[in-house]
């Protein structure tokens, strides 16, 4: 369909070819771009792209947060956190949530003025979601934002979310999904300066694997680069943006629009010190593939000024600018900006926000993401006439996380159970189990703020103080004054957390966690830098929260204890967790309640796993829910009473409390032992675990052809039967593992999964088709490519990563892998098979990796190397300072060569050093390279 013929009333801008919807998209973009001046094109590179009135082009802004509902724009339907959606293991459900989110985003775009800079364009239809960072460490502050620790699971749910956002129209997007955060971003502490060390196998088998399907299928329209560095190079100048992401997208015929994270382009100079000045840093980011700079908020001129300087200095040229602007306009055309009369989503009305269908979907999503971790028969509840005590700080409260929208309403666990019990005459009592205190100032004798406070204890000595007189939280203002005026704790800088620090005579000091300052003597303003100048308070206990909760539990038929985290305290964006334990006050409350009421069910409501060893060993029922949004209480009541089956399964491993986890900055899942794939110690609850109210029997796992070639496909099938007396939902998980691996292989690796709901006695036959190249391959460091080794493999049908129900073997035929060739070939140092004590760093600013010792020395192993005819070795090295350094090459304990490394004058100033090999053996051997001193080894060549 073409645009209407021009009329006398039309402006010239309306007759430009780029307005003609009958033209191919590329030609429309070409025409529009040709009509922009060089400076107008340059101005488009900031997050806030200006209007061009002479062409009838409106202002445009990138980015709307849409992780589990529209956020930051006002009241919107709030769905479970992303980690909760991950627990659903349900692609259809995740797609439906994304569809509802994008429909509401359309309403905000068309009908709501932006809260920030409303004159700079409407609310964006570019949705900054989903997050595909893998949850390798449950202590990550942003754990709540990802789907799981597994790349196959994450990729499938991520692609489903993208498709839900984008809609089904072949021409126009309902919203434009942007994947976050590329790449290997799993720590908040010092996130802008830490480097994630990714050996090639981890890069290709794990981190890239989560992103590739959504990009290669065309489901994603863009990507956001991450704050961190990878192998010493900031993600915003990573060559992987082009060599991987954009290469994957080529077959789709669409360009990826890559955006920066907030302030990250400036970080390239300070604090990362990767470039000398901002013009250089911004130029490098643009040339690496960043198309839009989210930097300096609404201040476009600073960013554009830096890029203008870069152009004047010859660091970028017009082609670099045009390429980025072309990608932006291609996306804007696809979002319907230039064809409002043809855009099938342009008529979405404001009434869709928090609509009845979206409320029902929020309830379903919260129920299907609930995981029943343990149940010895307490659940489901069958008698709604019983007396239930709901206990704990989460029993009658819901919490928003940083990427939640504003809740339209909040159905707490207490609300949901009350609604379920009331029609049958059941009774409900609610107790938070927290103390109520009066803090009386010694200088005045008056209570702090003239009221008592309920103390929320979040662990590590961190408290919130909720005023009894108005139910609002005490908050520190910019001038240090204290006001109880915050209805919720939700701000980038949290002003509502305090410590009560013990002082002389049993008195306490009030200290702000945010500022570190104390309430000052006399004024009570939080301005005292030193404890000596702080006000002394007498803490008077008005209500013993634990004692009241215990009494309530003793008088009830059943206790439901609801514990967990506050999403803005401790683990959150910018702050990682220190451990896995519940706050001690919560653990103590749980033990006290269970001591008097053995029929106690624990609900852990949290953004991440906890070590709940005591609860698992002593309670009859344990459940987990993420912060599930506005319908949480209804959904949990549905699950507790069996109106809904607990259909969730864990999206990440729940480790035991005494399990010593790897260092948070050790990103090498293979050697560190992260995730179910490589962690050897038995977990408390494994990846994929979750119970149903049904019971399921797995039949034999049958393989259609047990022998296949490397490029073949194996078809596996089994029958699953619900042998219980109730209907239920099972997630059948299919894992693979090699039985004769020549490399350090995963214990098992998820290949496929299927979620099935079966009535009592019902059976279903499930068929899985597994291409060997997709599911049996590993990244071969010797060849720099994925390969399927010949040999025996095992398929495992399981209810979790550790609950294997059926197995089958298959054999891949083919020639045995050849030994690694090093003679006459450059071998990258990073392509090792194993290592000790290394750090992966950048060999050059633009591209390439090198290896250096993390301490005084390090060792690399190159397995099965053909050394026949080897006479000398040369190494590409850099040594910045005057410290001594050397390389030692050895085989079977015999030293073949030691190469002294001279100072090269810089970390990127590489030189080649050479030495003869003494007594190099013939045949195939493991070659070891020891690095001593701060040498950076990029590669070596044997001749």
């Amino acid at each position: 369909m073409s645009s209407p013929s021009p009329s006398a009333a039309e402006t010239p801008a309306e007759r430009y070819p780029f307005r003609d919807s009958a033209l191919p998209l590329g030609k429309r973009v070409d025409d529009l771009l040709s009509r922009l001046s060089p400076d107008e094109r340059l101005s488009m590179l900031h997050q806030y792209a200006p209007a061009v009135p002479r062409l009838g082009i409106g202002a445009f802004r990138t980015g709307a947060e849409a992780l589990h509902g529209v956020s930051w724009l006002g009241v919107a339907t709030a769905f479970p956190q992303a980690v909760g959606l991950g627990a659903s293991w349900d692609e259809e459900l995740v797609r439906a949530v994304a569809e509802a989110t994008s429909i509401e985003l359309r309403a905000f775009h068309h009908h709501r003025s932006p809260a920030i800079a409303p004159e700079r364009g409407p609310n964006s239809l570019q949705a900054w979601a989903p997050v595909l960072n893998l949850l390798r460490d449950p202590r990550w502050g942003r754990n709540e934002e990802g789907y799981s620790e597994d790349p196959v699971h994450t990729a499938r749910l991520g692609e489903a979310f993208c498709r839900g956002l984008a809609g089904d129209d072949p021409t126009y997007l309902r919203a434009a999904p942007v994947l976050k955060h590329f790449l290997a971003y799993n720590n908040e502490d010092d996130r802008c300066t830490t480097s994630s060390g990714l050996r090639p196998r981890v890069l290709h088998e794990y981190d890239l694997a989560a992103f590739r399907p959504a990009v290669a299928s065309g489901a994603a329209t863009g990507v956001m680069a991450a704050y961190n560095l990878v192998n010493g190079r900031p993600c915003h100048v990573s060559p992987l943006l082009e060599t991987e992401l954009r290469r994957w997208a080529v077959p789709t015929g669409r360009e990826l629009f890559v955006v920066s994270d907030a302030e990250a382009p400036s970080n390239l100079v300070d604090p990362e010190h990767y470039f000398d000045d901002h013009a250089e840093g911004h130029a490098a980011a643009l040339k690496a593939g960043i198309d839009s700079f989210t930097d300096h908020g609404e201040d476009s001129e600073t960013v554009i000024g830096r890029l203008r300087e870069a152009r004047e200095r010859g660091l970028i040229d017009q082609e670099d600018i045009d390429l980025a602007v072309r990608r932006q306009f291609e996306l804007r055309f696809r979002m319907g900006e230039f064809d409002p009369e043809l855009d099938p989503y342009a008529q979405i009305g404001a009434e869709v926000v928090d609509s009845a269908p979206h409320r029902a979907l929020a309830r379903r999503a919260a129920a299907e993401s609930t995981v029943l971790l343990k149940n010895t028969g307490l659940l489901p509840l069958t008698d709604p006439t019983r007396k239930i005590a709901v206990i704990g700080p989460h029993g009658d409260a819901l919490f928003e996380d940083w990427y939640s929208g504003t809740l339209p309403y909040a159905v707490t666990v207490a609300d949901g159970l009350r609604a379920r019990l009331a029609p049958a005459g059941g009774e409900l009592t609610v107790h938070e189990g927290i103390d109520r205190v009066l803090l009386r100032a010694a200088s005045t004798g008056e209570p702090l703020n003239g009221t008592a406070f309920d103390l929320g204890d979040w662990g590590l000595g961190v408290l919130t103080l909720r005023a009894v007189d108005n139910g609002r939280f005490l908050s520190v203002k910019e001038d240090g004054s204290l006001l109880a005026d915050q209805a919720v704790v939700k701000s980038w800088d949290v002003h509502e957390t305090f410590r009560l620090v013990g002082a002389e005579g049993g008195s306490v000091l009030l200290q702000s966690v945010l500022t570190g300052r104390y309430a000052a003597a006399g004024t009570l303003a939080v301005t005292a830098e030193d404890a000596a100048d702080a006000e002394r308070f007498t803490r008077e206990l008005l209500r013993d929260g634990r004692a009241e909760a215990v009494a309530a539990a003793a008088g009830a038929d059943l206790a439901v204890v609801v514990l967990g985290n506050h999403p803005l305290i401790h683990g959150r964006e910018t702050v990682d967790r220190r451990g896995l334990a519940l706050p001690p006050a919560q653990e103590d409350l749980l033990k006290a309640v269970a001591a008097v009421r053995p029929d106690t069910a624990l609900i852990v409501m949290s953004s991440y796993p906890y070590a709940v060893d005591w609860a698992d060993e002593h309670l009859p029922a344990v459940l987990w829910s993420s912060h599930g949004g506005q319908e949480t209480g209804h959904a949990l009541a549905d699950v507790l009473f069996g109106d809904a089956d607990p259909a969730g399964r864990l999206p990440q491993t729940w480790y035991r409390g005494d399990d010593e986890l790897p260092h948070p900055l050790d990103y090498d899942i293979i050697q560190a032992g992260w995730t179910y794939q490589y962690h050897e110690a038995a977990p408390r609850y494994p990846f994929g675990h979750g119970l149903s109210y049904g019971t399921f029997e797995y039949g034999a796992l049958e393989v259609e052809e047990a022998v296949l070639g490397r490029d073949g496909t194996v078809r596996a099938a089994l029958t699953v039967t619900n042998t219980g007396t109730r209907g239920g939902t099972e997630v059948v998980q299919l894992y693979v593992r090699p039985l004769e691996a020549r490399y350090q292989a995963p214990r098992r690796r998820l290949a496929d999964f299927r979620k099935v709901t079966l009535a009592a006695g019902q059976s279903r036959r499930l068929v899985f088709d597994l291409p060997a190249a997709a599911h049996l391959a590993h990244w071969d460091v010797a060849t720099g490519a994925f390969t399927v080794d010949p040999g025996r493999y095992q398929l495992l049908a399981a209810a979790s990563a550790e609950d294997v129900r059926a197995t089958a073997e298959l054999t891949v035929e083919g020639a045995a892998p050849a030994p690694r060739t090093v003679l006459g070939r450059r071998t990258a140092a990073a392509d090792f098979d194993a290592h000790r004590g290394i750090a992966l760093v950048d060999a050059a600013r633009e591209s390439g990796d090198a290896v250096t010792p993390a301490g005084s020395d390090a060792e690399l192993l190159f397995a099965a190397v053909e050394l026949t005819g080897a006479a000398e070795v040369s190494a590409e090295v850099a040594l910045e300072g005057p410290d001594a350094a050397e390389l030692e090459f050895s085989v079977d304990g015999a030293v073949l060569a030691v190469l002294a490394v001279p100072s090269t004058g810089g970390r990127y100033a590489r030189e080649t050093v050479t030495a003869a090999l003494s007594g190099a053996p013939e045949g195939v051997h493991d070659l070891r390279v020891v690095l001593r001193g701060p040498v950076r080894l990029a590669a070596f060549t044997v001749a």
Side-chain angles (χ1 to χ4, degrees):
M1 178 178 178
S2 61
S3 299
S5 300
S7 68
E10 287 179 319
T11 65
E14 292 172 320
R15 296 194 295 270
Y16 289 139
F18 73 81
R19 295 286 182 183
D20 186 354
S21 62
L23 289 177
L25 176 59
K27 289 188 177 296
R28 298 180 75 183
V29 175
D30 287 344
D31 180 71
L32 191 159
L33 195 63
S34 71
R35 299 179 189 281
L36 296 174
S37 71
D39 279 347
E40 286 173 330
R41 298 179 203 180
L42 188 70
S43 70
M44 298 292 166
L45 298 182
H46 188 252
Q47 178 183 19
Y48 290 89
V52 186
R54 65 183 181 82
L55 297 178
I57 298 173
F60 171 79
R61 68 178 76 198
T62 63
E65 299 293 353
L67 185 60
H68 54 109
V70 176
S71 63
W72 299 8
L73 300 182
V75 171
T77 305
F79 297 99
Q81 292 176 303
V83 70
L85 295 176
S88 75
W89 290 63
D90 190 326
E91 292 155 283
E92 182 276 323
L93 173 64
V94 168
R95 180 168 179 158
V97 167
E99 180 176 344
T101 298
S102 66
I103 288 171
E104 295 197 8
L105 187 57
R106 274 281 177 166
F108 280 97
H109 175 77
H110 293 302
H111 306 291
R112 304 282 178 87
S113 179
I116 298 174
E119 74 285 357
R120 303 290 294 274
N123 289 309
S124 183
L125 290 177
Q126 188 194 47
W128 285 352
V131 171
L132 299 189
N133 298 109
L134 297 167
L135 306 182
R136 52 165 45 87
D137 185 348
R139 297 166 298 190
W140 182 33
R142 299 179 78 170
N143 188 87
E144 65 204 32
E145 296 181 37
Y147 289 128
S148 86
E149 68 183 41
D150 180 81
V152 168
H153 176 279
T154 293
R156 282 176 52 174
L157 268 61
E159 183 176 343
F161 197 88
C162 287
R163 295 195 182 282
L165 287 174
D168 297 321
D169 190 88
T171 303
Y172 298 99
L173 299 164
R174 189 164 49 228
V178 172
L179 309 179
K180 294 164 64 171
H181 310 81
F182 192 79
L183 184 69
Y185 169 37
N186 285 125
N187 65 280
E188 293 304 296
D189 295 347
D190 302 319
R191 63 182 179 172
C192 295
T193 55
T194 56
S195 178
S196 307
L198 296 186
R199 60 195 286 189
R201 277 195 59 204
V202 175
L203 172 69
H204 290 280
E205 295 176 19
Y206 192 67
D207 288 282
L208 289 179
F211 283 83
R212 184 168 185 162
V215 174
S217 68
T221 65
V223 174
M224 177 185 285
Y227 280 119
N228 56 290
L229 297 79
V230 169
N231 297 354
R233 182 180 297 106
C235 288
H236 281 70
V237 292
S238 173
L240 298 171
L241 295 173
E242 295 292 338
T243 62
E244 298 294 338
L245 285 174
R246 287 204 163 103
R247 178 175 61 84
W248 302 337
V250 168
T252 70
R254 304 289 191 189
E255 282 275 11
L256 280 183
F257 184 54
V258 179
V259 301
S260 82
D261 210 336
E263 311 307 316
S266 290
N267 291 347
L268 293 169
V269 175
D270 185 17
E272 290 167 354
H273 306 297
Y274 203 73
F275 295 98
D276 292 333
D277 59 62
H278 289 297
E280 185 183 3
H282 282 36
L286 181 67
K287 293 182 81 68
I290 301 297
D291 301 313
S292 179
F293 290 70
T294 313
D295 206 321
H296 275 68
E298 303 88 68
D299 173 16
S300 298
E301 185 48 44
T302 295
V303 172
I304 300 306
R306 292 168 175 174
L307 289 164
R308 186 179 297 113
E309 179 186 344
R311 184 177 63 182
E312 292 167 355
R313 288 166 55 182
L315 301 174
I316 56 174
D317 57 27
Q318 193 62 47
E319 185 177 349
D320 297 319
I321 297 166
D322 289 354
L323 187 55
V325 177
R326 175 182 301 278
R327 291 168 179 149
Q328 179 190 129
F329 276 108
E330 179 182 299
L331 188 66
R332 291 170 70 173
F333 274 102
R334 294 181 68 199
M335 291 190 293
E337 178 179 339
F338 298 95
D339 306 317
E341 74 285 357
L342 299 178
D343 180 358
Y345 309 114
Q347 302 307 312
I348 291 174
E351 73 280 355
V352 300
V353 176
D354 188 35
S355 62
H358 291 181
R359 290 183 175 191
L361 180 61
R363 182 171 182 165
R364 176 191 162 202
E368 290 201 28
S369 62
T370 299
V371 182
L372 182 59
L373 298 172
K374 178 184 179 181
N375 184 30
T376 59
L378 181 65
L379 301 179
L381 304 177
T382 57
D383 184 1
T385 66
R386 302 174 77 189
K387 183 176 182 180
I388 298 178
V390 174
I391 293 167
H394 294 64
D396 202 22
L398 296 185
F399 301 101
E400 297 176 5
D401 66 40
W402 185 243
Y403 291 98
S404 293
T406 302
L407 296 180
Y409 57 88
V411 181
T412 68
V413 174
D415 293 332
L417 287 173
R418 188 178 291 113
R420 188 66 175 76
L421 294 174
E427 186 179 346
L428 189 81
T429 61
V430 182
H431 296 273
E432 288 181 278
I434 63 177
D435 291 343
R436 176 169 293 175
V437 301
L438 201 66
L439 296 176
R440 195 177 297 278
S443 63
T444 65
E446 296 298 320
L448 176 65
N449 273 48
T451 185
F453 291 95
D454 294 328
L455 296 184
D457 188 337
W458 302 103
L460 301 178
V462 175
L463 307 170
T464 50
L465 283 72
R466 190 182 65 228
V468 172
D469 62 354
N470 66 6
R472 293 179 176 263
F473 292 96
L474 190 69
S475 179
V476 179
K477 305 306 172 185
E478 293 301 322
D479 61 359
S481 60
L482 288 167
L483 285 177
D485 64 347
Q486 296 300 303
V488 296
V489 177
K490 188 180 180 182
S491 57
W492 183 255
D493 294 318
V494 176
H495 293 251
E496 295 78 33
T497 51
F498 300 88
R499 289 188 175 90
L500 292 178
V501 181
E504 66 278 356
S507 63
V508 294
L509 317 179
L510 182 67
Q511 182 185 34
S512 165
V513 172
L514 176 65
T515 68
R517 300 189 184 100
Y518 300 89
T523 67
L524 302 189
V526 182
T527 56
E529 300 283 354
D530 193 273
D533 302 319
E535 179 66 59
R536 269 58 182 165
F537 293 93
T538 300
R539 174 173 170 164
E540 301 176 14
L541 182 63
L542 304 183
R543 184 182 71 191
D544 185 327
R546 188 191 307 171
E548 288 194 1
V550 167
D557 300 311
L558 170 77
V560 176
V561 180
V562 194
L563 308 175
N565 77 305
H566 191 299
L568 274 296
I569 300 173
H570 298 317
R572 51 156 292 182
E573 186 169 0
T574 73
V575 180
D576 290 317
R577 281 198 296 167
R578 295 294 171 262
L580 304 181
L582 281 166
Q586 293 191 19
E587 184 98 359
D588 292 344
L589 174 65
L590 175 64
K591 291 177 180 178
V593 168
V596 299
R597 180 53 54 213
D599 281 353
T600 292
L602 169 64
I603 298 174
V604 180
M605 189 181 297
S606 67
S607 308
Y608 34 65
Y610 278 110
V612 289
D613 301 338
W614 186 91
D616 182 66
E617 293 164 6
H618 293 87
L619 299 182
V622 182
L623 305 94
W624 173 72
S625 166
S626 73
H627 294 280
Q630 64 203 52
E631 285 286 338
T632 298
H634 282 146
L636 284 169
D638 290 342
V639 170
L640 289 172
F641 274 93
D643 300 322
D645 197 53
R649 300 295 183 268
L650 288 181
Q652 59 191 133
T653 304
W654 282 46
Y655 298 99
R656 296 173 184 268
D658 59 359
D659 195 342
E660 188 173 344
L661 298 183
H663 191 281
L665 293 182
D666 193 342
Y667 277 67
D668 185 352
I669 66 165
I670 298 172
Q671 193 141 312
W674 277 121
T675 81
Y676 77 91
Q677 291 192 30
Y678 293 97
H679 197 73
E680 294 292 342
R684 175 56 61 182
Y685 301 119
F687 172 78
H689 171 70
L691 305 176
S692 167
Y693 293 145
T695 56
F696 298 92
E697 182 179 280
Y698 289 44
L701 182 60
E702 301 167 0
V703 175
E704 197 168 274
E705 294 289 342
V707 179
L708 67 156
R710 292 177 173 181
D711 58 353
T713 294
V714 58
R715 169 163 288 186
L718 79 162
T719 299
V720 179
T721 302
N722 182 351
T723 58
T725 59
R726 300 176 55 96
T729 298
E730 178 72 327
V731 177
V732 179
Q733 302 156 45
L734 196 64
Y735 296 86
V736 299
R737 64 170 182 157
L739 298 177
E740 301 165 336
R742 61 189 169 102
Y743 57 95
Q744 188 176 349
R747 298 172 58 249
R748 55 186 57 95
R749 184 171 65 188
L750 184 69
D752 203 348
F753 60 89
R754 204 72 50 80
K755 189 172 186 176
V756 294
T757 299
L758 301 175
Q762 184 181 6
S763 297
R764 184 169 303 170
R765 185 141 180 98
L766 304 178
V767 179
F768 301 89
D769 288 320
L770 304 178
H775 298 293
L776 303 183
H778 75 282
W779 183 261
D780 186 353
V781 290
T783 61
F786 277 104
T787 186
V788 179
D789 281 356
R792 294 164 53 236
Y793 292 80
Q794 187 178 50
L795 303 183
L796 307 94
S800 78
E802 302 298 329
D803 185 5
V804 176
R805 304 292 184 87
T807 64
E809 283 195 18
L810 58 105
T811 300
V812 175
E813 294 184 323
R820 183 195 282 253
T821 301
V822 296
L823 203 65
R825 175 183 292 182
R826 182 180 187 271
T827 299
D831 283 334
F832 50 79
D833 289 282
H835 67 87
R836 173 187 60 80
I838 69 160
L840 285 159
V841 294
D842 50 341
R845 275 202 178 94
E846 295 78 16
S847 63
D849 297 329
V851 175
T852 193
S856 60
D857 71 328
E859 184 174 358
L860 304 175
L861 170 69
F862 297 86
V865 172
E866 175 60 72
L867 289 175
T868 301
E872 71 173 23
V873 63
S874 59
E876 300 171 28
V877 296
L879 181 61
E880 189 166 12
D883 296 336
E886 66 179 22
L887 303 174
E888 176 187 289
F889 288 76
S890 66
V891 169
D892 300 330
V895 175
L896 305 183
V898 177
L899 288 72
V901 178
S903 175
T904 63
R907 59 180 175 171
Y908 303 133
R910 288 207 301 274
E911 294 183 9
T912 299
V913 294
T914 303
L917 293 173
S918 175
E922 300 289 300
V924 178
H925 301 268
D926 290 346
L927 178 65
R928 297 182 184 274
V929 183
V930 175
L931 296 77
R932 299 187 180 97
V935 57
R936 298 162 75 99
L937 175 64
F940 66 88
T941 303
V942 176

